[in-house]
């Protein structure tokens, strides 16, 4: 893992910020060395994407709706770790839940503009392509072959990392799944939430304007 | 109510290019555009309103987070600043932010007004000059201090402040017939919130104005300091991609009210004159950090008027300038947004979400743009020419964030919290004030680690007497473009120091009335 860390560091050093604004270095107070790391994850994914090496991802690297198979499959593989303790255990129920979740994710992606979809697509592409996956997660094997614990471990590494881009990747990926899980009425009870008052729901259904 | 006989066009359904004429075209239908539309249409002027988002009305507001974010917020609620470090909740539907805001209607603090007068040469907005406009807006939108008891979430703020001897106050709200439901952020299903959607927009339509929804103002054609036309794009069902149908509008006057990202971005795309490079600069957010408390009793922060109590105790520590000051409020808590904010996954998330009904959250809104150390952000165009806000986080802001975490934790424990956790990835629930304070002192102040938000976009087309440091004059008129006025949150020369909607109502009414009287002598005699 020390090697992976060293490679990662070199790799992040080459990344560029998202904006064209060149004078931002003066305007920010934290040190330039660290700032370069911040370009990291989007950059890693960018490298993976533009190399034309990402199999199965749309050539434009913009997340399409419905999600491409490779992206949907990745989210399906991540969901049992991200939603551990929330997903039903019984296999049929679990499949149904995952389908419903993926459909909610798709709806949510459909309200994103090109740039946001591109960032998300790049992140997923980076997890799909072996070299970037290894750099980002330490896992050489496909995520579909990783255990819940292994995925949980890299998510925690991302979460606890001192490299901002990993924290961002953690927030982006987990939020996509947990937000879309908890907006579904079937899961309100897991948050102790009774849902909107029924009188107000009924009133609104009856409304004609 | 918007009625069948009103002229409302859904851009997504337009099949052919359009050529339109008007006296005034208004870009955006939020707090600024909505107020302007009614006043101009009432003056007998031909008005066209353009709105990027869809027309959604009370019956569409089903109190479900999923539908609300996807339909009513920019990027489905996933908008951020350029480096993704601050999440931005920006309303994007007919009525703009007023359709989804939490109804908090506070006047511009007197300290802010005085700072604008002194620092930006704006005697026109001095306390006694602007007061009649606040009076007008408070009548128009039925703004009154909330008379119902605060919900338990707001009660925590009140109790904590009382126990500690900190000042607090009741929030005035723009509601009529409010049932204390708690779904303001998803669009009011009762039509009780006096948003633009149920007040000024139907009124403007009744006076003969036209409304184009899912239509994005894209470029102004500018020649010799004059705007000659506006090109708008019809958008698809999701209000994201242009359908290819264009609308060209020629008007006598162009009124921008697309908000603090869109108004500067439209001017930039159009190559508007900006001789002193001030356009899009000094953009402000009231960056928000949060503190979560586990209370001994049910808080049920998903129900009840979302915001009814605030505290300005820490707002002006050293006057307007100096160290960052912050306003304290609370947010409503619904499961989707809460789960995304907690910053956990797996069993930890599952365990904490079970406790959601006992969770209280406090917000600190950092008052940015007053001190030299708080220059705000910059609106820029991305490669696709859409506007993006680059908002650097600096020591001045982080210092305010850290002090706010301490202040919020103290209030929450004083109100009886069992455990408190600052909104930061490295934080956890601590069961004593000493414990959480020690934690707060150690937390690395870094983007992505700290959960930061904003629902208040301000500045970027700041008003001022001096064209070298402002985009528009006190009248709202662009310093270099004769027939263009800006009337939205982008006009503020600093952040407001309070939730901005009432400040926007008042400034928009003042500016628009001036314009209406210029175009239509004798108009709006009943206004100040």
């Amino acid at each position: 893992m020390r090697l992976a860390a060293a490679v990662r560091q070199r790799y992040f050093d080459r990344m560029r910020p998202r904006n064209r604004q060149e004078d931002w270095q003066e305007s920010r107070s934290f040190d330039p060395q660290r700032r370069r790391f911040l370009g990291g994850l989007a950059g890693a994914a960018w490298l993976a994407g533009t190399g034309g090496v990402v199999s199965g991802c749309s050539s434009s690297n913009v997340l399409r709706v419905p999600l491409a198979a490779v992206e949907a499959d990745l989210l399906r593989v991540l969901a049992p770790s991200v939603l551990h303790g929330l997903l039903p255990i019984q296999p049929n129920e679990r499949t149904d839940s995952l389908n419903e979740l993926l459909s909610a994710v798709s709806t949510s992606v459909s309200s994103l503009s090109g740039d946001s979809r591109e960032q998300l697509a790049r992140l997923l592409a980076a997890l799909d392509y072996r070299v970037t996956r290894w750099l980002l997660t330490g896992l050489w094997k496909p995520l579909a072959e990783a255990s819940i614990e292994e995925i949980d471990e890299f998510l925690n590494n991302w979460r606890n990392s001192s490299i901002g881009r990993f924290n961002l990747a953690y927030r982006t990926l987990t939020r996509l799944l947990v937000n879309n899980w908890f907006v579904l009425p079937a899961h309100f009870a897991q948050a102790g939430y009774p849902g909107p008052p029924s009188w107000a729901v009924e009133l609104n259904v009856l409304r004609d304007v | 109510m918007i009625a069948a006989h009103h002229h409302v066009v859904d851009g997504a359904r337009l099949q052919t290019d359009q050529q339109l004429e008007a006296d005034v075209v208004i870009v955006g239908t939020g707090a600024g555009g909505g107020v302007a539309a009614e006043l101009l249409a009432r003056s007998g002027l031909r008005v066209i309103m353009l709105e990027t988002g869809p027309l959604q009305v009370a019956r569409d507001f089903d109190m479900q987070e999923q539908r609300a974010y996807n339909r009513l917020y920019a990027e489905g609620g996933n908008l951020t600043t350029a480096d993704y470090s601050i999440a931005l909740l920006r309303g994007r539907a007919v009525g703009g932010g007023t359709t989804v805001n939490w109804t908090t209607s506070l006047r511009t603090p007197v300290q802010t007004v005085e700072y604008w007068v002194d620092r930006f040469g704006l005697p026109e907005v001095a306390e006694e000059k602007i007061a009649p406009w606040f009076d007008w807006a408070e009548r128009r939108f039925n703004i009154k201090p909330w008379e119902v008891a605060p919900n338990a979430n707001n009660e925590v703020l009140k109790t904590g402040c009382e126990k500690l001897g900190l000042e607090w106050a009741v929030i005035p709200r723009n509601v009529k017939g409010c049932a204390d439901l708690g779904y303001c952020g998803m669009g009011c299903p009762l039509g009780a919130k006096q948003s633009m959607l149920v007040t000024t927009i139907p009124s403007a339509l009744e006076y003969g104005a036209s409304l184009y929804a899912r239509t994005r103002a894209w470029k102004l054609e500018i020649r010799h300091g004059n705007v000659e036309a506006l090109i708008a794009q019809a958008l698809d069902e999701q209000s994201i991609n242009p359908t290819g149908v264009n609308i060209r509008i020629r008007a006598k006057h162009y009124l921008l009210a697309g908000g603090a990202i869109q108004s500067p971005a439209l001017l930039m795309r159009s190559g508007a004159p900006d001789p002193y490079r001030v356009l899009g600069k000094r953009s402000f957010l009231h960056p928000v950090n949060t503190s979560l408390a586990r209370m001994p009793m049910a808080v049920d922060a998903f129900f009840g008027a979302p915001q009814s109590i605030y505290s300005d105790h820490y707002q002006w520590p050293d006057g307007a300038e100096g160290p960052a000051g912050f306003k304290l409020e609370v947010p409503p808590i619904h499961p989707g947004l809460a789960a995304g904010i907690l910053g956990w996954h797996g069993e930890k998330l599952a365990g904490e979400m079970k406790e959601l009904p006992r969770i209280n959250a406090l917000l600190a809104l950092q008052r940015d743009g007053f001190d030299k150390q708080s220059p705000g952000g910059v609106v820029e165009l991305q490669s696709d020419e859409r506007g993006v806000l680059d908002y650097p986080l600096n020591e001045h802001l982080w210092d305010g964030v850290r002090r706010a975490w301490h202040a919020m934790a103290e209030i929450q424990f004083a109100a009886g919290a069992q455990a408190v956790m600052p909104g930061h990835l490295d934080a956890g629930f601590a069961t004593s004030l000493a414990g959480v304070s020690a934690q707060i002192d150690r937390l690395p102040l870094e983007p992505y680690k700290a959960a930061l938000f904003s629902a208040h976009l301000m500045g970027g087309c700041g008003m001022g007497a001096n064209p070298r440091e402002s985009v528009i004059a006190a009248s709202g008129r662009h310093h270099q473009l004769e027939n263009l006025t800006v009337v939205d949150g982008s006009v503020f020369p600093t952040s407001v120091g309070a939730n901005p909607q009432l400040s926007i109502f008042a400034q928009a009414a003042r500016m628009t009335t001036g314009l209406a009287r210029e175009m239509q002598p004798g108009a709006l005699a009943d206004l100040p």
Side-chain angles (χ1 to χ4, degrees):
Chain A
M1 282 317 291
R2 187 157 298 193
L3 175 66
V7 175
R8 264 181 231 168
Q9 173 144 358
R10 278 186 64 90
Y11 190 65
F12 286 122
D13 281 349
R14 295 164 46 194
M15 299 312 156
R16 58 188 178 123
R18 173 185 172 189
N19 263 335
R20 287 175 292 126
Q21 190 188 357
E22 294 303 327
D23 59 349
W24 75 321
Q25 301 226 349
E26 276 92 59
S27 63
R28 298 191 187 214
S29 59
F30 37 80
D31 71 287
Q33 187 62 31
R34 211 192 63 72
R35 194 170 310 113
R36 252 176 277 144
F37 286 104
L38 291 178
L41 195 79
W46 168 78
L47 194 74
T50 50
V53 287
V54 183
S55 60
C57 217
S58 60
S59 58
S60 62
N61 286 305
V62 171
L63 217 55
R64 291 167 304 179
V65 179
L67 298 175
V70 64
E71 291 150 355
D73 287 349
L74 269 170
L75 293 172
R76 263 175 217 280
V77 166
L78 294 167
S81 295
V82 174
L83 299 169
H84 193 52
L86 294 162
L87 271 174
I89 293 165
Q90 202 273 328
N92 287 343
E93 283 177 32
R94 175 174 280 234
T95 308
D96 290 349
S97 277
L98 283 172
N99 288 342
E100 207 191 351
L101 173 66
L102 264 290
S103 153
V105 168
S106 222
T107 305
S108 154
V109 168
S110 73
S111 62
L112 297 176
S113 65
D115 182 68
S116 312
R117 287 193 201 188
E118 199 175 315
Q119 298 305 324
L120 205 50
R122 285 171 177 177
L123 175 55
L124 293 175
L127 287 176
D128 187 48
Y129 174 51
R130 186 177 292 178
V131 172
T132 41
R133 178 172 62 243
W134 174 68
L135 287 168
L136 298 177
T137 70
L139 292 170
W140 192 252
K141 61 186 167 192
L143 290 187
E145 292 168 23
S147 65
I148 287 183
E149 290 73 23
E150 283 171 319
I151 292 174
D152 186 60
E153 191 189 339
F154 90 70
L155 287 174
N156 279 325
N157 287 341
W158 283 12
R159 191 182 187 282
N160 301 328
S161 172
S162 59
I163 297 174
R165 283 285 150 163
F166 281 110
N167 309 149
L168 173 61
Y170 176 81
R171 283 202 187 269
T172 304
L173 207 55
T174 56
R175 199 184 57 205
L176 181 69
L177 294 171
V178 306
N179 178 291
N180 281 300
W181 178 264
F182 278 105
V183 297
L184 297 173
H187 311 137
F188 286 173
Q190 291 178 335
Y193 172 53
S198 53
W199 70 263
V201 176
E202 281 156 28
L203 191 78
N204 216 33
V205 170
L206 294 174
R207 184 190 290 273
D208 59 352
V209 288
Chain B
M1 288 293 175
I2 294 175
H5 68 274
H6 290 149
H7 188 237
V8 179
V9 177
D10 182 356
R13 304 233 168 112
L14 284 178
Q15 299 293 321
T16 53
D17 287 359
Q18 313 274 310
Q19 303 267 355
L20 306 173
E21 293 213 358
D23 291 321
V24 185
V25 58
I26 302 175
V27 176
T29 60
V35 163
E38 178 179 48
L39 296 178
L40 293 169
R42 224 181 92 188
S43 305
L45 295 160
R46 292 171 305 153
V47 171
I48 295 176
M49 296 176 261
L50 303 179
E51 170 56 53
T52 302
L55 172 61
Q56 297 274 289
V57 295
R59 69 162 173 268
D60 300 313
F61 301 149
D62 61 3
M63 295 170 278
Q64 295 292 339
E65 285 184 275
Q66 186 179 28
R67 185 180 171 118
Y69 302 143
N70 287 326
R71 296 287 180 91
L72 305 177
Y73 289 84
E75 300 288 313
N78 295 297
L79 187 70
T80 65
T81 52
D83 67 359
Y84 314 102
S85 59
I86 306 178
L88 304 175
L89 288 172
R90 186 172 87 75
R92 193 214 48 180
V94 173
T98 70
T99 299
V100 292
N101 72 18
W102 301 335
T103 73
T104 297
S105 306
L106 296 161
R107 291 189 177 200
T108 315
V110 62
Q111 293 92 331
T112 302
V113 168
E114 281 171 5
Y115 188 74
W116 292 351
V117 172
D118 295 346
R119 169 69 185 75
F120 296 94
L122 293 166
E124 296 89 340
V125 304
E127 182 69 2
E128 68 282 3
K129 296 261 181 62
I130 197 71
W133 296 101
F134 284 127
D135 295 339
W136 172 84
E138 284 164 355
R139 278 195 307 275
R140 178 67 186 92
F141 303 112
N142 207 46
I143 293 167
K144 291 171 193 157
W146 184 231
E147 286 171 358
V148 178
N151 72 359
N153 198 29
N154 282 277
E155 186 76 30
V156 170
L157 177 55
K158 179 181 157 184
T159 308
C161 285
E162 273 177 345
K163 290 260 166 72
L164 296 169
L166 313 180
E167 63 168 90
W168 61 272
V170 173
I171 290 179
R173 306 180 63 220
N174 58 322
V175 294
K176 196 185 272 181
C178 173
D180 204 21
L181 269 175
Y183 291 84
C184 307
M186 303 177 205
C188 180
L190 306 174
K193 187 203 302 185
Q194 297 299 289
S195 68
M196 301 304 100
L197 189 58
V198 302
T199 57
T200 56
I201 293 171
S203 165
L205 291 167
E206 197 61 33
Y207 282 113
S210 303
L211 167 64
Y212 286 73
R214 290 197 262 225
T215 301
R216 176 167 66 199
W218 188 243
K219 263 177 197 168
L220 300 162
E221 291 178 1
I222 297 169
R223 197 169 300 163
H224 308 308
N226 223 51
V227 184
E228 299 199 329
L230 183 151
I231 310 297
Q233 302 170 328
L235 299 178
D236 62 7
E237 204 68 18
Q238 293 294 336
S239 312
I240 293 175
N241 296 310
T243 60
V245 171
N246 287 327
I247 302 158
R248 186 168 192 273
I249 306 164
R250 291 176 60 89
K252 290 181 189 145
H253 206 93
Y254 298 79
L255 211 137
L256 304 193
I261 295 179
Q262 307 307 327
S263 289
L266 174 58
L267 289 166
M268 285 175 189
R269 276 199 297 275
S270 310
D274 180 22
Y276 306 107
R277 316 299 299 162
V278 287
L279 179 61
K281 308 272 168 61
R282 295 189 58 79
S283 290
F284 304 108
L285 286 175
H286 289 156
V288 169
N289 60 317
T290 65
S291 182
L292 303 176
R294 207 183 280 143
M295 303 303 292
M297 72 294 189
V299 176
D300 292 343
F302 24 78
F303 294 142
Q307 298 194 314
S308 52
I309 302 291
Y310 75 97
S311 171
D312 267 354
H313 189 88
Y314 296 98
Q315 181 73 291
W316 310 97
D318 215 4
E321 294 179 347
F326 48 86
K327 180 180 223 81
L328 297 174
E329 294 177 349
V330 313
I333 304 176
H334 293 95
L337 203 60
I341 287 168
L342 278 176
W344 282 314
H345 71 277
E347 282 176 327
K348 177 80 175 148
L349 174 74
E352 293 297 339
M353 285 302 285
K354 248 186 245 162
E355 300 295 324
L356 197 69
R358 290 204 295 140
I359 294 292
N360 151 265
L362 294 188
L363 305 177
L365 295 83
Q366 304 287 335
R367 179 175 52 80
D368 50 344
F370 289 79
D371 194 79
K372 274 204 183 64
Q373 302 300 313
S374 181
V378 178
V379 173
E380 301 174 325
L381 295 182
Q382 302 179 128
S383 54
D384 62 2
E385 289 197 283
R386 289 157 51 99
V388 62
L389 173 57
D390 186 17
Y391 193 101
L393 306 169
N394 66 17
E395 294 296 337
H396 186 268
L397 175 69
W398 285 126
D399 168 62
V401 165
R402 201 191 296 272
R403 281 185 287 111
W405 274 327
H406 281 295
M408 292 190 282
E410 196 181 6
I411 289 170
Q412 288 167 317
F413 276 116
Q418 292 175 341
V420 170
M421 182 186 87
H424 187 291
L425 283 183
D426 294 354
F429 275 105
T431 54
S432 70
L433 181 57
V436 79
S437 292
Q439 211 182 98
I440 293 166
D441 285 333
R442 282 198 314 270
L443 290 174
L445 299 175
E446 302 284 355
Y448 319 120
K449 284 281 191 193
L452 298 176
F453 310 89
S454 168
H456 301 165
L457 290 105
M458 298 159 287
C461 294
M463 62 178 158
N466 183 356
R468 289 178 181 274
E469 56 172 27
S470 58
V471 176
I472 61 166
S475 63
R477 199 69 61 94
H478 192 280
H479 281 308
Q480 287 86 26
L481 296 171
E482 266 177 40
N483 61 340
L484 185 134
T485 296
V486 187
V487 299
D488 57 21
S490 70
V491 308
F492 300 127
T494 64
S495 71
V496 173
N499 309 48
Q501 82 162 342
L502 179 54
S503 298
I504 301 174
F505 293 157
Q507 295 296 348
R510 181 183 66 81
M511 292 166 168
T512 307
T513 301
L515 175 66
R517 287 174 182 159
E518 228 175 89
M519 295 180 79
Q520 206 79 324
L524 304 175
D526 57 318
L527 270 89

